[in-house]
Amino acid sequence: MSNLSREVIEQLAEHLENAELNAQDVTKITDDYPDMDFEDAYDIQWEIRRRKEARGHKIIGMKMGLTSWAKMAQMGVEQPCYGFLADYFSYADGSAIDTRHLIHPKVEAEFAYVTHRELKGPGVQVADVYAATDFVMPAVEVIDSRYRDFKFDLKSVVADNSSSSRYVSGGRCLPVDAMDYRTAGVVMEKNGEIVEMSAGAAVLGNPAESVAMLANMLGERGESIPAGTFIMTGGVTAAVAVEAGDSICVHYHDMGSLTLRFV
Ligand code: OOG
Ligand code: MG
């Protein structure tokens, strides 16, 4: 089912993408379109993706969001969502992120999975994810909701590409069976002080569950996770607000650390 016309979907995609590109916040779109449903919301996200590809950007990965209780509680939303990652979102470990292009960035510590085999839902389970995973690596996401004061509902955030903005990945990559990622600890420091800590199990009991859920959600639209996809599985702690001058360092058990600073 979907309630919005194609014309409105395209208008809202342009509106939200402009908010991203101009770093200008907007009110949440369900205020003006209360009838919008989840199919409409994902249609808007896929239209933003199409717009970027039409301008020559490459889609280089996917992300899951709101997969931990810490994140769901922080945002007042009780279901995971997905988004896409465009080429210009990606930064190298140690990079400086320019806050002038962002509205109100927050950082999240995540585990990323890279696949070597297609995963197509429905019915994808953790075992399928293990069989399809090439390696697991640390990633730190910078989210930047286009909605005023980061206030949204699930449909609005889905339409806004699940707040995707920037990320760094790196550290030590490990085979999927090298460790039990559920008990892999993560410690986040902001300006040298510990601000959050958690472990992989915070994400749906096992970050691989998040990859399975992504495959199953994409399956509902007839889409899949192609072989060779980089997938961020969602923040293991609440997101931490940052501004120009801040530096972030995230330490991962046995997988090294990632740093980024904001200028
Ligand atoms: C939505 C995106 C959440 C995560 O890792 O949970 C997300 C938001 O909180 O703005 O990326
Ligand atoms: Mg995230």
Side-chain angles (χ1 to χ4, degrees):
M1 253 252 312
S2 80
N3 291 323
L4 302 185
S5 69
R6 188 65 212 165
E7 197 185 344
V8 170
I9 300 280
E10 285 171 13
Q11 269 168 20
L12 288 172
E14 184 177 3
H15 171 67
L16 287 172
E17 203 203 7
N18 283 342
E20 179 221 322
L21 298 175
N22 303 326
Q24 199 71 68
D25 62 7
V26 295
T27 53
K28 70 174 160 50
I29 57 176
T30 46
D31 289 352
D32 294 319
Y33 295 91
D35 291 341
M36 184 175 118
D37 65 19
F38 279 106
E39 195 173 323
D40 295 321
Y42 277 109
D43 283 348
I44 295 167
Q45 181 189 126
W46 278 85
E47 173 60 17
I48 295 173
R49 176 179 172 142
R50 191 202 62 75
R51 290 172 64 87
K52 292 195 189 305
E53 288 186 291
R55 284 200 304 276
H57 286 299
K58 294 261 172 301
I59 304 307
I60 56 169
M62 295 295 291
K63 67 166 266 186
M64 285 292 281
L66 306 171
T67 49
S68 65
W69 287 117
K71 278 292 309 180
M72 290 190 251
Q74 182 180 33
M75 306 322 297
V77 171
E78 270 120 48
Q79 245 179 280
C81 54
Y82 68 79
F84 65 83
L85 303 172
D87 46 12
Y88 68 93
F89 297 1
S90 173
Y91 282 73
D93 182 20
S95 291
I97 310 274
D98 190 340
T99 55
R100 285 172 306 181
H101 304 304
L102 307 176
I103 301 166
H104 41 205
K106 293 183 185 181
V107 294
E108 302 178 321
E110 311 205 4
F111 289 89
Y113 284 56
V114 178
T115 59
H116 58 67
R117 187 191 288 178
E118 185 189 37
L119 282 167
K120 191 165 174 56
V124 172
Q125 298 182 22
V126 168
D128 305 310
V129 174
Y130 288 169
T133 300
D134 207 359
F135 54 87
V136 182
M137 72 192 291
V140 177
E141 182 174 25
V142 181
I143 53 168
D144 194 33
S145 174
R146 268 55 69 169
Y147 298 118
R148 200 146 303 151
D149 303 322
F150 251 96
K151 296 232 166 61
F152 50 64
D153 49 34
L154 188 57
K155 290 172 195 164
S156 294
V157 74
V158 162
D160 182 31
N161 193 22
S162 297
S163 308
S164 302
S165 174
R166 302 283 184 267
Y167 68 92
V168 301
S169 60
R172 181 172 176 214
C173 69
L174 288 176
V176 70
D177 60 355
M179 128 160 105
D180 182 351
Y181 296 96
R182 297 175 300 176
T183 53
V186 178
V187 177
M188 185 191 286
E189 292 171 4
K190 176 178 168 182
N191 303 327
E193 271 178 43
I194 294 172
V195 285
E196 292 285 350
M197 55 185 119
S198 185
V203 169
L204 300 172
N206 181 344
E209 288 281 6
S210 176
V211 178
M213 188 180 271
L214 173 63
N216 292 325
M217 288 171 86
L218 288 170
E220 286 171 28
R221 288 184 73 99
E223 304 277 351
S224 66
I225 305 175
T229 302
F230 171 87
I231 303 147
M232 290 196 294
T233 54
V236 295
T237 71
V240 173
V242 287
E243 55 186 32
D246 287 335
S247 65
I248 293 288
C249 181
V250 184
H251 305 278
Y252 288 78
H253 175 73
D254 226 17
M255 300 172 89
S257 48
L258 288 176
T259 61
L260 67 168
R261 37 198 192 90
F262 292 84
V263 294

